[in-house]
């Protein structure tokens, strides 16, 4: 009995570790991480801008300009290949929150990306011009992030 159990456990260990190896070798995991990294920097940069606009932290013109420019700089990256087909959460559950609708409704996401780019550029133009100026464009940014997440990102 004991021997059987030990054999079973070591057999399972082999199965799990070979699954893990296959996953680690999968180049799609690297591109998923890359696009998530892009999103993390968006969050890192946009977070304080939302905070200033809401009055949760003091407005700082220099900081607002730099953070909005971070978002603008990210627009320059060509991240297209990080969104390769068949890398949605149907194929990579637990690894990505990207919905298959990104590909099945293409080019809807590209339109969402263009709206986002417009919002970023408009915000970056005025972010350093005072709190009212920041507030006048922050809503457009929030809508652009949320609009795309609503349609194309797994709900938490
Ligand atoms: C055009 C669509 C789109 C726009 C615009 C967009 N996102 Fe995302 N975002 C996504 C998708 C899709 C994912 C899921 C990516 C994945 O898990 O592979 C995501 C994931 C994220 C994540 C989680 C990243 C992780 O580590 O899993 C954060 C944070 C994020 N977005 C922040 C933002 C912020 C902030 C903005 C606006 C400044 C924004 N996003 C704009 C589509 C978008």
């Amino acid at each position: 009995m004991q021997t059987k159990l030990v054999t079973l456990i070591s057999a399972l260990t082999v199965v799990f570790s070979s699954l893990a190896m296959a996953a680690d070798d999968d180049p799609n995991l690297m591109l998923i991480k890359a696009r998530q990294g892009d999103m993390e920097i968006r969050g890192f940069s946009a977070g304080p801008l939302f905070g200033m606009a809401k009055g949760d932290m003091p407005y700082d013109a220099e900081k607002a300009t730099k953070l909005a420019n971070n978002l603008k700089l990210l627009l320059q990256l060509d991240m297209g290949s990080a969104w390769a087909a068949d890398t949605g959460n149907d194929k990579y559950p637990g690894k990505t929150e990207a919905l298959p609708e990104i590909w099945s409704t293409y080019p809807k996401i590209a339109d969402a990306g263009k709206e986002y780019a417009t919002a970023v550029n408009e915000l970056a133009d005025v972010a350093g011009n005072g709190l009212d100026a920041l507030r006048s464009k922050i809503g457009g940014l929030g809508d652009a992030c949320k609009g795309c997440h609503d349609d194309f990102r797994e709900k938490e």
Side-chain angles (χ1 to χ4, degrees):
M1 178 64 202
Q2 186 114 42
T3 329
K4 260 196 188 157
L5 192 60
V6 169
T7 315
L8 179 67
I9 288 170
S10 46
L12 282 176
T13 311
V14 171
V15 170
F16 283 127
S17 57
S18 61
L19 278 177
M21 263 170 66
D24 282 345
D25 282 352
D26 185 340
N28 284 338
L29 290 177
M30 203 171 84
L31 62 84
I32 288 170
K33 280 201 183 128
R35 71 196 185 201
Q36 289 172 338
D38 174 359
M39 290 294 164
E40 292 289 343
I41 303 174
R42 292 187 197 195
F44 168 80
S45 305
L49 292 170
F50 292 129
M52 286 182 209
K54 281 192 216 149
D56 291 344
M57 58 195 288
Y59 174 76
D60 175 335
E62 196 185 333
K63 189 170 178 184
T65 304
K66 281 185 181 163
L67 292 173
N69 282 336
N70 280 356
L71 293 174
K72 212 170 151 168
L73 195 61
L74 286 178
L75 296 176
Q76 303 298 311
L77 300 184
D78 183 350
M79 295 300 292
S81 57
W83 298 94
D86 295 325
T87 60
N89 69 350
D90 52 339
K91 300 274 163 43
Y92 292 91
K95 301 278 184 199
T96 177
E97 296 174 345
L99 294 178
E101 280 74 10
I102 290 172
W103 298 276
S104 66
T105 66
Y106 195 84
K108 245 186 94 189
I109 189 151
D111 295 338
K114 276 181 208 145
E115 278 168 35
Y116 170 71
T118 304
V120 167
N121 285 319
E122 288 184 357
L123 179 69
D125 283 346
V126 302
N129 298 351
L131 184 55
D132 286 342
L134 173 73
R135 283 183 172 153
S136 74
K137 294 296 176 191
I138 197 77
L141 183 74
D143 288 348
C145 306
K146 185 176 182 304
C148 189
H149 290 170
D150 283 348
D151 289 344
F152 300 112
R153 183 182 173 194
E154 189 179 304
K155 312 283 169 285
E156 321 232 4

